[in-house]
Amino acid sequence: MLIDRKKLVSRHNPLIYRVEPLSPLSVGNGEFAFTADFTGLQTFPNEYDVPLGTQSEWGWHYTDSQTKYRLEDIKQKTFSFHNRNVAYPLYSEDSEDAYHWLRQNPHRLQLGQISFRLLKENYKQVEIHDITAIKQQLNLWEGVLLSEFTVENQPVFVTTVCHPTRDQVAVKVISPLITNERLQIMIRFPAPTMNSKIWEESIHLNWQDNNAHKTIIKEKNTNALKLYRIMDEDNYFVSWQWSAGVIRTVNEHEYWLTPTNETEELTFSVSFSKEGRNPYSFDEILAESKHYWFTFWNSGAAIDFSKSSDERANELERRVILSQFLTAIHCSGSSPPQETGYMYNSWFGKFHLEMHWWHGAHFPLWGRGHLLKKSLQWYKRILPIAKELATSQGYKGARWPKMVGIDGRQSPSPIAPVLIWQQPHLLSLLELLYQENPSKDIVEKWRGIVIETANFMASFSVWDAKKHAFILGPPLIPAQECHKPESSFNPPYELEYWKYGLTIAKKWLERLNEPVPAKWEEIIKNIASPPQHNGVYLAHEGCLDTFTSYNHDHPSMVGALGILPGSLIDKKIMKQTLQKVRNEWQWESAWGWDFPMCAMTAARLGEPELAIEFLLMNATKNTYLPNGHNYQSPSLTAYLPGNGGLLTAVAMMARGWEGAITEHAPGFPQNGEWVIQAEGLHPLR
């Protein structure tokens, strides 16, 4: 029986009746998003705990110039790597200006703020306490945001929508305030400058440094305004069109539109672009949005928990539906997403490649691999830079950076340069795409990337004559980032991932009837066993105080079986490890993706009740807000790796994995309380 997808999706439309400071709602398309307050625009940003963002895939900025500093301007930390020295840009030391500039640049731009300017009967400006009768709903099925509120008994109805393939937002406003000129639209532009060395202190918009940017009127007529934005060497256009109104320039960076309609309706649309594209009309954008989201929801997979009697089922279904929408608008662009998507800047707007798997692995599992393919193209663009990085450190192949901007160059950081678990991600993601739609074309297309990725992994692996095995590190920092690089080696998750990744690379060459490098084969057969002590796996070899001093941050050792097939793992030991993690971990220190990671481990171990417990654990960083975002902290209210991880875990639990006892819901309890209706899902292999 087919799932009624419209009914499934629509019953989880976010609906609010008050200001939700942590949960503004967004419309977007994977390359661009616009986040609004309860008015449907960005009218009361100070009432929200995070910026109301307008961001795009292409919207990046370098302070001063692209070449102001290079990594060579930083004194790098040198570690001994098995009888040779390798340098990493870890600490600022005596290069503080260069260090922090490189961390902050390039940074993603806030492209502009679109707001109402509302007036009372006495023509004083409306303040938040003057607003009543708030009602706002995000129509997920159509990608349309519907907002209602009242000013002094005068209703305002707002429809906000985003074009599905262009960086354009369109709005319709219906209100009696229009006819007596008590409703205006305002666009203003913040400065791009980063003002803090700590990203949490720099997420808010900068309205102070007016001289750090320019806004120039390029065209102006009765129904349109085209602006040209300049910030150092970077620039873009903002094109604004409206149905009827008069424009006023308040200052260089602020413009007001006063409708002149004799009717109570105003429509307008705004385009942000590098090329100066004019926007489509409101009606055109609305029609395109409805068509796009109708196609989105009716293709790919769906899962329905409505017949389940477990009291947690509806909340899980809500998280699943909202996570599909959020990852589609924030994580399906032409480069890897930042962890807050297009809402606001986290880590200066840069993306973290060790999170790319969490953002995107679910897409092929849900039959939407085409949404992942777009961002994988970026790796081809930066392949020469990744090869240059590997060569500079004495390795072969391509070393993918961790914290990185659109330019592909690694950022200095006390952690990022010595992480390694982002390296096999690309192989895993490519294999998921292949499993969704096996073809020789995809293998041929990605052959070079696969080889260069595997060559670095092989080069990083070192033969230890005493162990008679290949080992990893030191230096490295595991996925659990609280360890010291100089003393960390052989973390279980990374060992398993190294074997898994090289096994994938081997399969790809075999699919092309090409010879497999001998060292790949040797590492696959002889990589070190994951370290254990007293019947549980450790964070890394020698870390005997894993569950006393290091029982916080990510319990990444469990990822060796769950996310991965666990070919090196003893299931009895992993079951004991997972129980110890459950009982002794400091869960308030964990992150959003840790909960689905543990759920996947529990599922593979035949513990479905425990999988559900992890997936829906009552912990701060496993909170899913009314807008569907995975809350972590006051400065990180949106954390998309949590949403993506949830979708991956649910797909795996519902459709299974290689070696699962059944293809139908092997990761859900078989107690009659969970009734899983699913279609279109792919197994996690």
Side-chain angles (χ1 to χ4, degrees):
M1 181 178 178
L2 293 177
I3 295 170
D4 184 336
R5 295 193 177 201
K6 184 175 183 180
K7 184 178 180 181
L8 165 65
V9 171
S10 299
R11 64 175 168 254
H12 298 293
N13 287 342
L15 181 62
I16 66 170
Y17 294 95
R18 61 182 181 274
V19 176
E20 292 282 358
L22 299 174
S23 294
L25 299 171
S26 303
V27 291
N29 59 27
E31 301 282 338
F32 168 87
F34 177 82
T35 299
D37 63 16
F38 67 88
T39 68
L41 297 182
Q42 299 161 331
T43 310
F44 295 100
N46 294 334
E47 300 299 320
Y48 288 77
D49 292 344
V50 294
L52 303 175
T54 307
Q55 293 196 324
S56 71
E57 187 59 50
W58 49 263
W60 294 83
H61 173 249
Y62 293 84
T63 303
D64 296 326
S65 74
Q66 292 191 23
T67 58
K68 183 174 182 178
Y69 292 110
R70 296 292 187 188
L71 284 174
E72 294 76 16
D73 297 319
I74 298 174
K75 182 180 179 182
Q76 301 198 31
K77 173 71 174 178
T78 300
F79 293 99
S80 175
F81 180 80
H82 303 281
N83 301 317
R84 67 178 177 84
N85 291 328
V86 181
Y88 295 90
L90 296 179
Y91 312 116
S92 59
E93 297 186 358
D94 57 354
S95 311
E96 190 165 339
D97 287 347
Y99 183 90
H100 289 293
W101 187 93
L102 288 165
R103 277 183 61 75
Q104 296 175 26
N105 287 279
H107 48 265
R108 202 181 293 268
L109 287 168
Q110 290 284 12
L111 300 176
Q113 188 177 86
I114 308 174
S115 309
F116 285 114
R117 186 172 182 270
L118 303 167
L119 303 176
K120 296 190 286 187
E121 287 183 355
N122 60 10
Y123 285 90
K124 290 185 178 180
Q125 191 162 338
V126 168
E127 298 181 16
I128 187 70
H129 59 263
D130 298 313
I131 303 288
T132 59
I134 293 171
K135 180 182 179 182
Q136 186 177 52
Q137 183 177 60
L138 178 57
N139 182 331
L140 298 168
W141 189 255
E142 298 181 344
V144 176
L145 182 59
L146 304 169
S147 309
E148 303 175 24
F149 57 94
T150 298
V151 176
E152 294 182 326
N153 297 318
Q154 300 298 303
V156 183
F157 301 92
V158 186
T159 304
T160 311
V161 65
C162 177
H163 194 283
T165 60
R166 296 200 173 197
D167 302 345
Q168 300 178 4
V169 61
V171 179
K172 176 190 281 187
V173 188
I174 300 174
S175 175
L177 295 178
I178 291 174
T179 57
N180 53 18
E181 298 185 0
R182 289 174 53 197
L183 182 149
Q184 298 169 319
I185 310 300
M186 177 173 63
I187 294 184
R188 60 178 184 151
F189 303 100
T193 309
M194 294 282 103
N195 290 323
S196 174
K197 297 171 184 176
I198 304 172
W199 75 261
E200 292 96 332
E201 296 176 359
S202 63
I203 66 173
H204 292 281
L205 278 59
N206 176 8
W207 299 107
Q208 305 303 315
D209 299 329
N210 288 334
N211 294 329
H213 58 131
K214 294 180 180 179
T215 307
I216 299 171
I217 296 176
K218 300 294 284 186
E219 297 176 19
K220 182 180 179 182
N221 59 49
T222 55
N223 293 93
L225 178 70
K226 180 169 290 187
L227 303 169
Y228 184 53
R229 299 272 296 131
I230 304 172
M231 302 129 295
D232 299 309
E233 297 176 350
D234 304 300
N235 54 74
Y236 64 96
F237 289 91
V238 180
S239 300
W240 186 8
Q241 294 183 356
W242 53 86
S243 54
V246 176
I247 202 74
R248 173 187 170 191
T249 302
V250 179
N251 60 56
E252 181 185 357
H253 304 304
E254 185 171 331
Y255 302 84
W256 296 357
L257 171 67
T258 301
T260 56
N261 303 44
E262 294 182 359
T263 68
E264 296 184 349
E265 180 178 298
L266 168 72
T267 62
F268 67 89
S269 50
V270 184
S271 170
F272 300 87
S273 69
K274 296 291 285 185
E275 306 86 1
R277 289 177 174 173
N278 291 325
Y280 292 108
S281 70
F282 170 82
D283 289 338
E284 289 171 320
I285 293 176
L286 178 63
E288 291 286 343
S289 176
K290 289 181 177 181
H291 175 74
Y292 174 82
W293 287 105
F294 176 86
T295 303
F296 175 86
W297 292 115
N298 279 295
S299 61
I303 187 166
D304 186 324
F305 297 117
S306 61
K307 294 185 178 180
S308 301
S309 58
D310 190 293
E311 62 183 8
R312 299 166 294 181
N314 185 66
E315 172 59 15
L316 181 57
E317 186 182 271
R318 182 187 78 89
R319 296 183 183 191
V320 166
I321 294 298
L322 291 175
S323 293
Q324 288 178 77
F325 180 80
L326 293 173
T327 54
I329 69 173
H330 289 297
C331 301
S332 65
S334 50
S335 67
Q338 69 167 320
E339 292 173 34
T340 46
Y342 302 114
M343 287 193 69
Y344 60 88
N345 283 352
S346 53
W347 291 276
F348 309 106
K350 296 187 178 184
F351 29 86
H352 293 165
L353 293 192
E354 90 283 15
M355 290 294 99
H356 196 187
W357 190 93
W358 295 98
H359 286 289
H362 64 91
F363 284 128
L365 297 180
W366 285 76
R368 299 188 179 113
H370 62 285
L371 296 181
L372 171 62
K373 285 180 184 178
K374 293 191 293 180
S375 60
L376 295 186
Q377 296 293 335
W378 176 83
Y379 289 88
K380 287 192 172 185
R381 293 208 330 257
I382 73 153
L383 178 59
I385 298 171
K387 292 177 69 175
E388 177 186 317
L389 174 59
T391 299
S392 72
Q393 297 177 339
Y395 299 111
K396 297 179 181 178
R399 182 170 195 169
W400 306 110
K402 188 270 195 195
M403 178 177 168
V404 61
I406 194 68
D407 58 4
R409 300 192 179 277
Q410 72 166 332
S411 302
S413 162
I415 296 172
V418 282
L419 255 65
I420 64 169
W421 65 295
Q422 71 273 17
Q423 196 67 22
H425 274 344
L426 185 52
L427 301 173
S428 175
L429 291 171
L430 287 170
E431 182 67 10
L432 288 172
L433 287 179
Y434 178 84
Q435 293 296 338
E436 181 193 16
N437 288 300
S439 73
K440 191 173 182 179
D441 288 345
I442 189 174
V443 180
E444 290 175 341
K445 178 178 180 180
W446 291 97
R447 172 189 175 277
I449 288 281
V450 167
I451 290 173
E452 297 295 352
T453 302
N455 279 342
F456 170 78
M457 293 171 64
S459 181
F460 190 82
S461 310
V462 176
W463 178 255
D464 187 311
K466 292 182 180 179
K467 292 181 176 293
H468 296 284
F470 285 93
I471 65 172
L472 301 179
L476 63 78
I477 291 180
Q480 185 189 14
E481 296 180 354
C482 53
H483 298 276
K484 295 180 179 179
E486 61 269 25
S487 57
S488 299
F489 71 108
N490 284 350
Y493 172 57
E494 282 79 354
L495 286 170
E496 174 69 22
Y497 213 175
W498 238 243
K499 180 177 179 180
Y500 180 69
L502 287 172
T503 301
I504 290 172
K506 176 185 174 183
K507 287 180 181 178
W508 279 56
L509 289 188
E510 290 173 344
R511 288 164 184 160
L512 293 169
N513 296 316
E514 294 186 21
V516 178
K519 190 172 182 182
W520 297 9
E521 299 269 22
E522 292 170 6
I523 296 169
I524 291 168
K525 293 177 182 176
N526 298 295
I527 198 161
S529 298
Q532 54 174 292
H533 181 71
N534 288 340
V536 294
Y537 288 110
L538 303 177
H540 59 83
E541 192 154 329
C543 189
L544 300 182
D545 51 352
T546 293
F547 289 94
T548 52
S549 300
Y550 291 97
N551 58 338
H552 55 91
D553 195 55
H554 309 295
S556 57
M557 70 290 292
V558 307
L561 176 68
I563 301 169
L564 302 174
S567 63
L568 299 173
I569 297 300
D570 182 304
K571 287 189 175 181
K572 179 181 178 182
I573 295 173
M574 183 57 82
K575 184 173 287 192
Q576 293 169 175
T577 304
L578 186 63
Q579 286 292 345
K580 198 169 184 69
V581 164
R582 174 183 176 270
N583 296 331
E584 300 183 19
W585 212 256
Q586 297 177 35
W587 286 106
E588 288 301 296
S589 72
W591 290 69
W593 55 268
D594 292 324
F595 303 95
M597 175 180 69
C598 290
M600 287 188 275
T601 303
R604 285 205 197 241
L605 290 170
E607 298 282 350
E609 291 281 0
L610 186 56
I612 293 293
E613 179 184 331
F614 276 120
L615 206 58
L616 292 164
M617 183 182 288
N618 183 17
T620 298
K621 293 183 181 179
N622 199 36
T623 300
Y624 284 73
L625 297 169
N627 60 6
H629 277 291
N630 179 207
Y631 176 89
Q632 304 295 288
S633 69
S635 60
L636 195 59
T637 63
Y639 188 65
L640 290 156
N643 297 96
L646 172 83
L647 291 175
T648 301
V650 168
M652 174 192 177
M653 292 164 63
R655 181 60 177 83
W657 54 91
E658 192 169 5
I661 57 173
T662 177
E663 292 184 355
H664 179 71
F668 283 90
Q670 304 298 309
N671 56 10
E673 295 181 5
W674 287 90
V675 179
I676 313 302
Q677 301 175 85
E679 55 192 31
L681 292 169
H682 294 259
L684 181 65
R685 300 184 186 277

